[in-house]
Amino acid sequence: KYSFADGIVFFKEVFTLFIANYNKVNILTFAMFATLLLSISIPLINIVAPLFFPIIFLMYIYGIHLQVNSKNKERIFTLSKLNNFKLLKTPFNKENVFTLLSYAGFLIIITSLVAFLTTIMDGGVLKDILLQNKLNTLNSLNNENAANFDVNNIGQATIFAMIFYVVCSTIIFAAQYFAPLLILQQKMKLLKALFFSLFTCYFQWKALCSFFLMLGLVIVLPIIIISLVIAIMSAILTSGLISVILLFLIVYYLFLMLFLTHLSQYYLYKKFFI
């Protein structure tokens, strides 16, 4: 078992890898981001797209693995080396692809079930809050009855549903965090991968708490700073060029955080299982 302090050490090591490689995976990150965006934007395809998300994410993590462990440290995925993208399908076969599709379907079903149970518990108030339907109603000054309805219904049932939702979401997150990599790399079946992922997170909870605390701070604090900068710049300047530059910086920051998040998943998998 690793300690709370070990989690901070793990994050320092991940951040070192991040600094050394962030500029080498721009094309790879953009390709994955574009694939996800297209898959949820095209009608009909967006219905089945969530089933293939684990495969897309694992291809990205495998690309990170190739880049981080590259001996000559050159950029493996560039516009001049588009053929290298064929490497991303190397570790996949029919068996683990089917298991990954089953994993995605199971995840969709179990999260939908949890959402359904919270609806039964509090009449759907928590669901409406999460979907911001009630928030939009509260912002409407012309509908005081709806506002009173919201306030009165955030009672014991909603609090209980919220606790249930948080607990179940934490368990689901722990069960699925390492499961795709275990399916791909260790050739585990679905339930076995979920089991080992869940209990690994349980046994290593101290290190994971400190690790994700550091990760959350690194992700959230810059977002707050960027939001303040955008608010100030918008109030002072009205230039369209400034808006475009700020939008570009936001998108690029999201790319960086996407890489950091999946690099963390890859690193923790190696630390705990290899």
Side-chain angles (χ1 to χ4, degrees), residues 19-182:
I19 296 298
N21 293 279
Y22 77 92
N23 63 334
K24 299 176 183 176
V25 294
N26 288 341
I27 299 299
L28 178 64
T29 306
F30 176 79
M32 195 202 76
F33 187 81
T35 302
L36 291 174
L37 190 62
L38 284 173
S39 64
I40 63 176
S41 302
I42 301 175
L44 297 181
I45 293 180
N46 58 7
I47 299 175
V48 297
L51 292 175
F52 295 92
F53 284 174
I55 299 175
I56 296 172
F57 288 136
L58 283 174
M59 284 184 171
Y60 181 55
I61 291 176
Y62 183 63
I64 292 173
H65 163 76
L66 294 177
Q67 183 63 67
V68 170
N69 292 283
S70 176
K71 293 181 180 179
N72 53 16
K73 298 302 179 183
E74 66 176 359
R75 295 187 184 187
I76 297 176
F77 302 98
T78 65
L79 292 177
S80 61
K81 298 178 181 178
L82 288 176
N83 288 335
N84 284 354
F85 279 87
K86 294 179 181 179
L87 295 171
L88 299 181
K89 65 179 183 180
T90 302
F92 294 89
N93 56 45
K94 291 182 180 180
E95 184 178 357
N96 59 36
V97 166
F98 176 77
T99 307
L100 288 168
L101 292 175
S102 302
Y103 157 82
F106 175 81
L107 206 60
I108 292 171
I109 292 171
I110 197 69
T111 51
S112 300
L113 178 61
V114 170
F116 175 71
L117 290 176
T118 59
T119 302
I120 293 177
M121 291 178 186
D122 68 347
V125 176
L126 178 61
K127 184 188 73 173
D128 288 333
I129 292 173
L130 293 174
L131 294 177
Q132 292 191 334
N133 291 340
K134 297 293 184 182
L135 183 62
N136 293 334
T137 305
L138 283 170
N139 290 334
S140 175
L141 299 177
N142 298 325
N143 198 341
E144 295 181 359
N145 292 330
N148 292 330
F149 174 81
D150 277 353
V151 173
N152 293 333
N153 276 273
I154 302 178
Q156 290 183 352
T158 303
I159 294 173
F160 181 75
M162 190 177 298
I163 295 172
F164 174 80
Y165 180 81
V166 170
V167 171
C168 289
S169 297
T170 303
I171 294 173
I172 292 171
F173 176 79
Q176 63 86 33
Y177 189 71
F178 295 112
L181 282 165
L182 290 172

Side-chain angles (χ1 to χ4, degrees), residues 136-236:
N136 293 334
T137 305
L138 283 170
N139 290 334
S140 175
L141 299 177
N142 298 325
N143 198 341
E144 295 181 359
N145 292 330
N148 292 330
F149 174 81
D150 277 353
V151 173
N152 293 333
N153 276 273
I154 302 178
Q156 290 183 352
T158 303
I159 294 173
F160 181 75
M162 190 177 298
I163 295 172
F164 174 80
Y165 180 81
V166 170
V167 171
C168 289
S169 297
T170 303
I171 294 173
I172 292 171
F173 176 79
Q176 63 86 33
Y177 189 71
F178 295 112
L181 282 165
L182 290 172
I183 292 170
L184 183 67
Q185 297 294 327
Q186 310 284 353
K187 310 301 179 186
M188 288 186 182
K189 299 298 183 182
L190 174 60
L191 294 180
K192 186 177 180 180
L194 293 170
F195 173 85
F196 274 99
S197 177
L198 175 62
F199 281 93
T200 298
C201 290
Y202 170 72
F203 285 119
Q204 306 295 352
W205 70 271
K206 291 181 180 178
L208 289 172
C209 281
S210 58
F211 184 92
F212 284 116
L213 177 62
M214 297 294 293
L215 182 63
L217 289 174
V218 168
I219 292 176
V220 172
L221 287 179
I223 290 177
I224 295 175
I225 294 172
I226 291 173
S227 300
L228 290 174
V229 171
I230 291 175
I232 294 171
M233 296 296 289
S234 300
I236 298 175

